[in-house]
Amino acid sequence: MVTYSKKVMDHFMSPKNVGEIEDADGVGEVGNPTCGDMMTFYIKVKDDRLDDVKFKTFGCGAAIAVSSMVSELAMGKSLDEALKISNKDVAHELGGLPKQKMHCSNLGADALHKAIQDYKKKKME
Amino acid sequence: MVTYSKKVMDHFMSPKNVGEIEDADGVGEVGNPTCGDMMTFYIKVKDDRLDDVKFKTFGCGAAIAVSSMVSELAMGKSLDEALKISNKDVAHELGGLPKQKMHCSNLGADALHKAIQDYKKKKME
Amino acid sequence: MAGIIFLDNASTTKVDDRVFEAMTPYFTQQYGNPASLHDLGQSAEDAVEGSRRHVASLIGAKPEEIYFTSCGTESNNFSLFGLAKSLKGRGRHIISSSIEHISILNPLKDLKKEGWDHTLLPVDEYGSVSPEDLKKAIREDTALISIMHANNEVGTIQNLEDLGKIARDNDITFHSDGVASAGIIPVDVKKLGVDSYSFTSQQMYGPKGAAALYVRKGLRIKPYLIGGTQERGRRAGTENVPAIVGFGQAARIAKQELGKNAAYLEGLRNAMIEGIMAGIDNVKLNGHPQKRLPGNVHVSFEYIEGESILLLLNMEGIAAASGSSCVSQALKNSQVLISMGLSPTTAQGSVLFSLGKFNKRQEIDKTLEVLPPIIEKLRKMSPLYKES
Amino acid sequence: MAGIIFLDNASTTKVDDRVFEAMTPYFTQQYGNPASLHDLGQSAEDAVEGSRRHVASLIGAKPEEIYFTSCGTESNNFSLFGLAKSLKGRGRHIISSSIEHISILNPLKDLKKEGWDHTLLPVDEYGSVSPEDLKKAIREDTALISIMHANNEVGTIQNLEDLGKIARDNDITFHSDGVASAGIIPVDVKKLGVDSYSFTSQQMYGPKGAAALYVRKGLRIKPYLIGGTQERGRRAGTENVPAIVGFGQAARIAKQELGKNAAYLEGLRNAMIEGIMAGIDNVKLNGHPQKRLPGNVHVSFEYIEGESILLLLNMEGIAAASGSSCVSQALKNSQVLISMGLSPTTAQGSVLFSLGKFNKRQEIDKTLEVLPPIIEKLRKMSPLYKES
Ligand SMILES: Cc1ncc(COP(=O)(O)O)c(C=O)c1O
Ligand SMILES: Cc1ncc(COP(=O)(O)O)c(C=O)c1O
């Protein structure tokens, strides 16, 4: 069965930055409930830096912990730096994730990147 | 596994009429060690009655108990009566025998009958 | 573990103290092998045969119709593969249902490779198989029907008597997986009309490691574990004597206390269902409203996912289960829930609280207390949930 | 049972008190199902994985190379049927020996019906398989070799290293039945060169109901019990947690005490053999004089039959076994003895005294005291015996 690291459990129990940003500059969504996990990231950008990051997640303990960790890692970073955060980094920061959780649940970085791309796209328009 | 009745165990532990009769009037042998059990019966006949019956048996607990029981049943009987003793009677007298012991081990009556036939044949000659 | 509220009795049960006590001598004192001729072997054999009588009696069978195995899976594999081998002259088609346990479904897949076709009957929204569907599925070459008695997830109890009659009328051998039912609800194999029936000790407060297959006298079945002549040549391998002794005691106690336990569990169950419905909105009760196992509370909490619910319950000392794909090793939603027509999202939010005879009313109350804030917390995190 | 002199350790062993103690909590306290997410499930899973490490370590394997099963028979069936399925592209010929356990021989018979041919190698008078014979038996289509490690009846230990090398040189998968050897003599699967190895708890002072199959990492094998994803998908069914915990402890203790126990047993064994030879004439020691299990005393008493010897020993409180057809459920002489060239009559008079670590010197002395009058009594009844 699944065994989570202490760090995963900490983030799962007290996730950071849960919520929506009403007037978000960018929104990114990955996954879907059918496959198990779904994450939506909201960002506020100021001077090319992530001024605020929030998320909402439907999913398992890993998905929630991953979302929380991503939000924490991204907060305050420049967009370029934030784009460099990989799912692998996130798992590493969490002290590892169970193997079967690597595919579906470890998509937080993707959701963040999508939010940044959404912001960039909107800015272009 | 095999479970024997108390009567079988009594006969097995203290079999009656074990031995040979040196100048037997008839000898009957059934079975062979390959198949598991082998019994030899010796009889002394007086006035068409079994004056003495003895046996030697190579075999399992049932074979020994059966031999002992047959010798006891036959002792003193007329030849005709003795020929009527069946293997089934013997099993019955012993309070039943385990199913798998009915074929190989319950041949005592056969050995007795063979000894009587041997006596009759010798008398004819 | 002290303090844990164990509401996962469908996965396994605590061993009854009386059962454990009865097993104890068979490890370090009466440790003989039943195949041995000597007294230690004989007393082991007597113990196994005593258990066989208790186990048979629980389901209305004769002792010689009971074969001990190591687990429910083995009983189901034994039945399907063993009957398939002996029935292949009769036809090559098996009818089963879409909500069977995987220890039935996987053998059916394997049998397909050996030329056996099968039809999986659908179920309605409550998880019931319809006798009409069964009738329609029967073909000229149908040799075997396998329909579970009670479903281990949603608790729905099938109308085996009607299904069994159809099998009999068509002269088709009928197996039923009774792992979730035997010892919990009354089982009489003769009344139910089954030819073969699987059940296990660890679901009725007995130890793991012992299970049984009932095989109607006269029914031909090939053994699955082959070697020595144990179990009259139908299941080889040294008997797990202590576990079989425990199974026997568990069956004896179950027979005695079944009515009382079922009434008690139904009370707890109904209180729990009512409490959940009253305290939380957007919850769905899964399984049949009446024809369900007495201890089964299977619900779906909309907008959230089961594993995270279980983890938070676990933090509160409450043990439960879920049909969420995130909880399954195979990373798949419960096939049972999908077959009943639940959407994958709703299936993800399912939780099974399976109550057992050792549960106390206070444990249910405690659970009803901690559950709403857990659901609330997770819903607040969910992108699917819009607060009203 | 107090007072019983248990010299039937080859059939099963008394559970070590330390093993039983370690198992105890897993019935009524740590009763979770390892598949469950919650703490009770997790602690059960941790216990199973801890055992896996001990069991692996005993035979020099990695934990992930160990699959738990319910008995030696299941391990052997799993290996043969599972490997046959995965190897059928390689060829359809299996080499085994004429002295294998029936849980190997019967699967070979079944495989024959599925198109698998097999060759059973003969053994010499000591029960040893010759590497030359193995070499000669290898064919183009030989896919699998299965030779037991130690024989459970006569105790002869095969030269597995040499046999394994031949298998490797010919790129043939090599299984060995180690039920009678693991925990009793040193086993290192890497050194022995086996790809697959069966062994069981109940032969090393562990409980019944737990056994293992070692499968070399990378070797493909199909599961035999199919259903859930337990044992990484290779053996379905709820794990027998307490028995597996006991197996783990038994393996740990065996590893630690194996050298000491073997030396002790060899001492007892040699004393017993010498005592029998000195006290009774017309006795034959069966099995290899040196390469034999440390506790094995297998002898044939000429002119008499084994069951009756066992019954009289039992009356004296001594538990032993025999290869006599009268003792076997199948009503056949031990195939092992016949393969070694014993005449059926001599085979009928065979008795196996298998000594274990709990046996005391006084027990052997007592046995040596009561044995001669028993043999004498039966010989006096035997038509084959002529007093000198
Ligand atoms: C050498 C050998 N292999 C396999 C087995 C089968 O083991 P089990 O009875 O645990 O199934 C035995 C049993 O005694 C054995 O001695
Ligand atoms: C309905 C049903 N059948 C079969 C099984 C398999 O039983 P086991 O895990 O003992 O092999 C289970 C297990 O939970 C079950 O619920």
Side-chain angles (χ1 to χ4, degrees):
Chain A
M1 270 303 316
V2 169
T3 329
Y4 289 130
S5 69
K6 189 178 169 313
K7 208 140 181 193
V8 171
M9 283 309 290
D10 287 348
H11 272 275
F12 166 68
M13 292 301 292
S14 317
K16 304 287 152 43
N17 308 307
V18 174
E20 296 179 23
I21 300 176
E22 292 268 323
D23 55 344
D25 296 327
V27 178
E29 191 177 298
V30 295
N32 65 66
T34 307
C35 96
D37 297 301
M38 179 180 165
M39 303 170 183
T40 314
F41 268 79
Y42 304 84
I43 55 172
K44 268 310 239 194
V45 181
K46 204 166 164 182
D47 301 336
D48 260 7
R49 297 199 96 79
L50 290 171
D51 192 46
D52 198 7
V53 181
K54 284 211 172 339
F55 75 89
K56 281 213 159 179
T57 290
F58 168 100
C60 65
I64 291 172
V66 159
S67 308
S68 168
M69 176 55 86
V70 167
S71 74
E72 224 178 41
L73 287 175
M75 192 73 76
K77 281 217 166 56
S78 75
L79 296 186
D80 283 355
E81 284 168 339
L83 282 170
K84 280 190 199 130
I85 298 171
S86 72
N87 289 330
K88 230 174 111 186
D89 296 339
V90 176
H92 183 75
E93 285 291 329
L94 283 168
L97 280 172
K99 209 165 83 185
Q100 71 265 45
K101 295 294 181 185
M102 292 303 276
H103 284 292
C104 291
S105 315
N106 193 14
L107 300 171
D110 298 349
L112 175 71
H113 300 168
K114 267 200 171 172
I116 295 174
Q117 273 139 22
D118 181 51
Y119 159 75
K120 286 186 171 171
K121 211 177 99 201
K122 275 186 190 145
K123 227 178 91 181
M124 302 275 279
E125 279 158 15
Chain B
M1 270 304 318
V2 170
T3 328
Y4 289 130
S5 69
K6 189 177 169 311
K7 207 139 182 194
V8 170
M9 283 308 290
D10 285 349
H11 272 275
F12 166 68
M13 292 300 292
S14 317
K16 305 287 151 44
N17 308 308
V18 175
E20 297 178 23
I21 301 175
E22 292 268 320
D23 55 342
D25 296 327
V27 178
E29 189 177 299
V30 296
N32 64 65
T34 308
C35 97
D37 299 300
M38 179 179 165
M39 303 170 184
T40 314
F41 268 77
Y42 304 84
I43 55 170
K44 267 310 237 195
V45 182
K46 205 167 164 180
D47 301 336
D48 259 8
R49 298 199 96 81
L50 290 171
D51 192 46
D52 198 6
V53 182
K54 283 209 172 339
F55 75 89
K56 282 213 159 179
T57 291
F58 167 100
C60 64
I64 292 172
V66 160
S67 308
S68 169
M69 178 55 86
V70 167
S71 73
E72 225 179 41
L73 287 175
M75 192 74 76
K77 281 214 166 56
S78 74
L79 294 187
D80 282 356
E81 283 167 340
L83 281 170
K84 279 189 199 131
I85 299 172
S86 74
N87 289 328
K88 230 174 111 187
D89 295 339
V90 176
H92 182 76
E93 286 291 328
L94 283 167
L97 280 172
K99 210 165 83 185
Q100 71 267 45
K101 296 293 181 184
M102 292 303 276
H103 283 293
C104 291
S105 315
N106 193 15
L107 301 171
D110 298 349
L112 175 72
H113 300 168
K114 268 199 172 176
I116 296 174
Q117 274 138 23
D118 180 52
Y119 159 76
K120 287 186 170 172
K121 211 176 97 198
K122 276 187 191 148
K123 227 179 91 179
M124 304 273 280
E125 280 158 13
Chain C
M1 282 185 180
I4 285 193
I5 299 178
F6 189 70
L7 305 182
D8 192 16
N9 289 278
S11 82
T12 192
T13 48
K14 175 177 183 317
V15 174
D16 191 304
D17 287 334
R18 291 166 290 178
V19 168
F20 179 57
E21 240 169 72
M23 297 170 66
T24 312
Y26 293 90
F27 294 100
T28 59
Q29 294 159 49
Q30 312 263 84
Y31 52 84
N33 185 324
S36 299
L37 185 70
H38 47 69
D39 288 353
L40 265 181
Q42 288 300 302
S43 68
E45 210 212 353
D46 291 348
V48 168
E49 295 314 314
S51 281
R52 199 184 307 281
R53 285 189 292 273
H54 288 308
V55 166
S57 163
L58 176 67
I59 62 161
K62 302 188 195 81
E64 64 268 29
E65 295 176 316
I66 296 295
Y67 298 91
F68 288 120
T69 68
S70 67
C71 58
T73 296
E74 189 191 330
S75 291
N76 280 337
N77 281 209
F78 175 14
S79 180
L80 291 191
F81 289 120
L83 289 173
K85 272 198 182 148
S86 68
L87 288 170
K88 65 183 171 217
R90 172 78 172 74
R92 292 267 188 162
H93 179 238
I94 303 176
I95 299 173
S96 188
S97 85
S98 54
I99 60 160
E100 297 296 312
H101 189 261
I102 189 117
S103 58
I104 292 285
L105 295 174
N106 276 351
L108 290 180
K109 277 188 208 160
D110 256 39
L111 284 169
K112 196 147 205 168
K113 290 179 214 146
E114 295 172 27
W116 284 82
D117 197 11
H118 63 253
T119 304
L120 296 186
L121 300 178
V123 292
D124 66 16
E125 59 175 314
Y126 301 121
S128 303
V129 170
S130 119
E132 279 314 306
D133 285 345
L134 174 58
K135 267 187 212 159
K136 274 185 245 153
I138 290 175
R139 311 191 319 207
E140 193 60 38
D141 64 340
T142 304
L144 179 62
I145 295 170
S146 176
I147 308 282
M148 75 197 314
H149 193 181
N151 184 271
N152 50 305
E153 295 184 42
V154 297
T156 301
I157 300 168
Q158 300 301 332
N159 191 343
L160 276 201
E161 259 177 84
D162 284 4
L163 302 172
K165 188 170 175 333
I166 296 169
R168 240 179 357 266
D169 288 349
N170 289 274
D171 194 24
I172 298 169
T173 302
F174 187 29
H175 170 69
S176 184
D177 174 356
V179 165
S181 43
I184 306 299
I185 58 172
V187 175
D188 182 329
V189 287
K190 308 294 170 193
K191 255 199 227 151
L192 294 175
V194 295
D195 297 298
S196 152
Y197 193 84
S198 302
F199 56 118
T200 177
S201 159
Q202 55 127 341
Q203 300 272 351
M204 52 172 95
Y205 316 102
K208 298 173 179 66
L213 184 68
Y214 156 79
V215 178
R216 178 177 55 70
K217 205 168 172 170
L219 184 66
R220 291 165 58 123
I221 185 169
K222 290 273 181 205
Y224 192 57
L225 285 199
I226 60 178
T229 52
Q230 291 94 345
E231 299 289 314
R232 285 148 291 144
R234 279 185 167 171
R235 200 281 187 180
T238 297
E239 297 88 341
N240 187 350
V241 180
I244 289 173
V245 166
F247 189 9
Q249 285 306 306
R252 184 186 62 76
I253 294 170
K255 190 176 176 180
Q256 215 173 302
E257 301 182 351
L258 194 145
K260 192 186 77 184
N261 289 341
Y264 174 68
L265 285 178
E266 275 177 23
L268 281 191
R269 175 195 76 188
N270 294 344
M272 185 158 187
I273 292 174
E274 277 161 34
I276 290 174
M277 295 299 164
I280 303 169
D281 53 14
N282 292 304
V283 192
K284 182 182 173 332
L285 177 69
N286 299 312
H288 200 283
Q290 284 86 41
K291 291 182 211 151
R292 72 187 300 133
L293 288 173
N296 181 287
V297 179
H298 194 292
V299 286
S300 289
F301 299 100
E302 295 285 355
Y303 317 124
I304 54 179
E305 184 278 330
E307 189 203 280
S308 50
I309 305 174
L310 296 191
L311 288 171
L312 291 176
L313 283 169
N314 187 53
M315 295 312 256
E316 302 281 350
I318 299 166
S322 165
S324 158
S325 68
C326 302
V327 176
S328 92
Q329 282 279 325
L331 300 177
K332 275 194 211 144
N333 264 320
S334 155
Q335 187 55 38
V336 176
L337 301 180
I338 301 303
S339 300
M340 287 163 59
L342 264 72
S343 77
T345 314
T346 304
Q348 284 295 88
S350 69
V351 175
L352 167 57
F353 300 98
S354 47
L355 319 186
K357 69 175 182 178
F358 296 121
N359 288 128
K360 299 270 168 292
R361 176 65 202 234
Q362 301 92 286
E363 295 180 320
I364 305 305
D365 293 343
K366 168 85 193 292
T367 306
L368 288 172
E369 206 182 292
V370 303
L371 194 55
I374 287 175
I375 302 304
E376 179 69 9
K377 177 180 176 171
L378 291 171
R379 282 183 176 169
K380 279 211 164 126
M381 273 190 236
S382 168
L384 304 176
Y385 184 63
K386 300 288 161 233
E387 277 169 89
S388 50
Chain D
M1 286 188 177
I4 286 194
I5 299 179
F6 189 69
L7 305 182
D8 192 18
N9 289 277
S11 82
T12 192
T13 48
K14 177 181 184 311
V15 174
D16 191 305
D17 287 334
R18 292 166 290 178
V19 168
F20 179 56
E21 241 170 72
M23 296 170 66
T24 312
Y26 293 90
F27 294 100
T28 58
Q29 294 159 50
Q30 312 263 84
Y31 52 84
N33 185 324
S36 299
L37 185 71
H38 48 70
D39 288 354
L40 266 182
Q42 290 298 302
S43 68
E45 209 211 354
D46 291 348
V48 168
E49 295 314 314
S51 280
R52 199 184 305 282
R53 285 189 291 275
H54 287 309
V55 166
S57 163
L58 176 66
I59 62 160
K62 302 189 196 81
E64 65 268 28
E65 294 175 317
I66 297 296
Y67 298 91
F68 288 120
T69 69
S70 66
C71 59
T73 296
E74 188 191 332
S75 291
N76 279 337
N77 281 207
F78 176 14
S79 180
L80 291 192
F81 289 121
L83 289 174
K85 272 197 184 149
S86 67
L87 287 170
K88 64 182 170 216
R90 172 79 172 76
R92 293 267 188 161
H93 179 238
I94 302 176
I95 300 172
S96 189
S97 85
S98 53
I99 60 160
E100 298 295 312
H101 189 261
I102 189 114
S103 57
I104 293 284
L105 295 174
N106 276 352
L108 290 180
K109 275 188 210 160
D110 256 38
L111 284 169
K112 196 146 204 167
K113 290 180 215 147
E114 295 172 27
W116 283 82
D117 197 11
H118 64 253
T119 303
L120 296 185
L121 300 178
V123 292
D124 65 15
E125 59 176 313
Y126 301 121
S128 302
V129 170
S130 121
E132 279 315 304
D133 285 344
L134 174 59
K135 266 187 212 159
K136 274 185 245 153
I138 290 175
R139 310 192 318 206
E140 193 59 39
D141 63 340
T142 305
L144 180 60
I145 295 170
S146 177
I147 308 282
M148 75 196 313
H149 193 181
N151 183 272
N152 49 306
E153 296 183 42
V154 296
T156 302
I157 299 168
Q158 301 301 332
N159 191 342
L160 275 201
E161 261 178 83
D162 284 5
L163 302 172
K165 189 171 173 333
I166 296 169
R168 243 182 352 271
D169 288 349
N170 290 275
D171 194 25
I172 299 169
T173 302
F174 187 30
H175 169 70
S176 184
D177 174 355
V179 165
S181 43
I184 306 299
I185 58 172
V187 175
D188 182 330
V189 287
K190 309 294 170 190
K191 255 199 226 151
L192 294 176
V194 294
D195 296 298
S196 152
Y197 193 84
S198 302
F199 55 119
T200 177
S201 159
Q202 56 126 340
Q203 299 272 351
M204 52 171 96
Y205 316 103
K208 297 173 179 66
L213 183 69
Y214 156 80
V215 178
R216 179 178 53 70
K217 206 170 172 169
L219 184 66
R220 292 165 56 122
I221 185 169
K222 290 274 181 205
Y224 192 57
L225 286 199
I226 60 179
T229 52
Q230 291 95 344
E231 298 290 313
R232 285 147 291 143
R234 279 185 167 172
R235 200 280 187 181
T238 297
E239 297 88 341
N240 187 349
V241 180
I244 290 172
V245 166
F247 190 9
Q249 285 306 305
R252 184 186 63 74
I253 293 170
K255 189 178 175 178
Q256 214 173 302
E257 302 182 350
L258 193 146
K260 192 186 78 184
N261 289 342
Y264 173 68
L265 285 178
E266 275 176 23
L268 281 191
R269 175 195 74 188
N270 295 344
M272 185 158 188
I273 293 174
E274 278 161 34
I276 290 174
M277 296 297 164
I280 303 168
D281 53 14
N282 294 303
V283 192
K284 182 183 174 327
L285 177 70
N286 299 311
H288 199 284
Q290 284 86 42
K291 292 182 211 152
R292 72 187 299 132
L293 288 173
N296 181 287
V297 178
H298 194 293
V299 286
S300 290
F301 299 100
E302 296 286 354
Y303 316 124
I304 54 178
E305 185 277 331
E307 189 202 279
S308 49
I309 305 175
L310 296 192
L311 287 171
L312 291 175
L313 283 169
N314 186 54
M315 294 311 257
E316 302 281 348
I318 299 166
S322 166
S324 158
S325 67
C326 302
V327 176
S328 91
Q329 282 278 327
L331 301 178
K332 275 194 211 147
N333 264 319
S334 156
Q335 188 54 38
V336 175
L337 301 180
I338 301 303
S339 300
M340 287 162 59
L342 264 72
S343 76
T345 315
T346 304
Q348 283 294 85
S350 69
V351 175
L352 167 56
F353 300 98
S354 47
L355 318 185
K357 69 175 183 179
F358 296 121
N359 288 128
K360 299 271 168 291
R361 177 64 202 235
Q362 302 91 284
E363 296 180 319
I364 305 305
D365 292 342
K366 168 85 193 291
T367 306
L368 288 172
E369 207 181 291
V370 304
L371 194 54
I374 286 175
I375 303 303
E376 178 70 9
K377 175 179 178 172
L378 291 171
R379 282 183 176 168
K380 281 211 164 126
M381 273 190 237
S382 169
L384 304 176
Y385 184 64
K386 300 286 163 232
E387 277 169 89
S388 48

